[in-house]
Amino acid sequence: MSSTSQKHKDFVAEPMGEKPVFALAGIGEALGKRLEEKGFDKAYVVLGQFLVLKKDEELFREWLKDTCGANSKQQGDCFGCLKEWCDSFL
């Protein structure tokens, strides 16, 4: 994986708590709004989907694309962010 963004570093540095969905790396305002409209309003709700998909990169990327239209880079950034967070906190 290439270097991580500051947003990624900030997210994985601490417990998730009640962070909004757009606190996730790869999820900006537009994708965040689409996710919120489908009930994924908090980062932990997206984490739940990530875990339901058994942390499988291909399945999660496909879900993110289908759910909010995330492109390949956005999918990878979000997956990497959640995977690293899980590695640190679960």
Side-chain angles (χ1 to χ4, degrees):
M1 182 196 273
S2 60
S3 66
T4 55
S5 66
Q6 187 61 48
K7 189 174 183 181
H8 175 110
K9 290 174 187 168
D10 291 345
F11 189 86
V12 301
E14 61 188 15
M16 195 173 302
E18 295 287 323
K19 289 182 181 177
V21 69
F22 34 83
L24 289 162
I27 306 298
E29 192 172 332
L31 295 183
K33 286 197 183 302
R34 288 185 210 138
L35 285 165
E36 286 178 334
E37 288 167 4
K38 296 195 174 168
F40 297 91
D41 58 333
K42 300 285 186 186
Y44 70 79
V45 183
V46 177
L47 172 66
Q49 184 65 29
F50 178 77
L51 295 174
V52 164
L53 297 172
K54 300 182 178 180
K55 303 188 224 176
D56 181 278
E57 183 170 7
E58 185 178 337
L59 291 174
F60 182 75
R61 283 173 165 265
E62 189 69 24
W63 173 82
L64 204 55
K65 181 178 130 188
D66 292 346
T67 304
C68 67
N71 68 30
S72 183
K73 181 180 183 329
Q74 293 162 330
Q75 295 162 26
D77 288 350
C78 189
F79 173 82
C81 181
L82 287 172
K83 182 177 182 325
E84 186 175 332
W85 188 92
C86 286
D87 291 346
S88 297
F89 292 98
L90 292 183

